[in-house]
Amino acid sequence: MYELKVITYFSAAHQLREFKGPCEDLHGHNYKVEVCVMTDTLDKAGIAIDFGKLKGHVAQITDRLDHAFLNDLEPFTHQNPSSENIARHVAEGLTGLLEDPAIRVRSVTIWESEHSCATYYLP
């Protein structure tokens, strides 16, 4: 089994509804996004997926989030734009973009600071 990882970043603002703490106020983060995909097959060149292609797929999702107020974007108009929910959103979106069924999203980790992150593992 092979695992490949790409890392990217985006900046965004959000508010956590019903949080009862300082994060309920408008604030922002410089998010780090770690995406892991896995496969047990390689092509004839010995490659699972081109890193550039994988980064492009991730960018299709994160570019929409970059420099946005997340609460105004679906699905965050009705669910909190927490790191947990952002990780799930990226994972599910990426799953829909991968053309090769042999390549599966394993996990997405969203870092909202150098010391705090949430990871979503696909079932």
Side-chain angles (χ1 to χ4, degrees):
M1 188 65 63
Y2 301 93
E3 179 181 271
L4 290 81
K5 182 185 292 187
V6 294
I7 297 174
T8 190
Y9 301 86
F10 72 93
S11 299
H14 70 158
Q15 292 175 282
L16 297 180
R17 302 182 252 334
E18 301 180 33
F19 180 74
K20 308 299 183 233
C23 291
E24 198 165 29
D25 295 331
L26 177 63
H27 66 285
H29 298 283
N30 294 315
Y31 292 97
K32 176 180 176 181
V33 181
E34 291 184 32
V35 172
C36 293
V37 298
M38 57 193 303
T39 185
D40 55 4
T41 62
L42 302 177
D43 65 14
K44 63 184 177 184
I47 296 170
I49 184 173
D50 179 86
F51 283 118
K53 189 172 189 176
L54 182 56
K55 288 178 186 178
H57 289 322
V58 174
Q60 287 182 14
I61 302 161
T62 58
D63 285 355
R64 187 175 153 264
L65 306 177
D66 192 37
H67 287 84
F69 177 51
L70 298 179
N71 297 64
D72 285 346
L73 303 177
E74 286 295 332
F76 308 117
T77 57
H78 60 277
Q79 67 178 227
N80 261 335
S82 63
S83 293
E84 294 89 340
N85 285 331
I86 296 168
R88 184 178 65 223
H89 173 71
V90 173
E92 290 173 350
L94 181 58
T95 296
L97 294 174
L98 294 173
E99 300 97 12
D100 185 345
I103 298 173
R104 299 170 308 282
V105 178
R106 178 170 189 265
S107 65
V108 173
T109 300
I110 301 293
W111 292 83
E112 66 175 39
S113 74
E114 186 178 333
H115 306 285
S116 302
C117 67
T119 301
Y120 181 76
Y121 293 92
L122 272 81

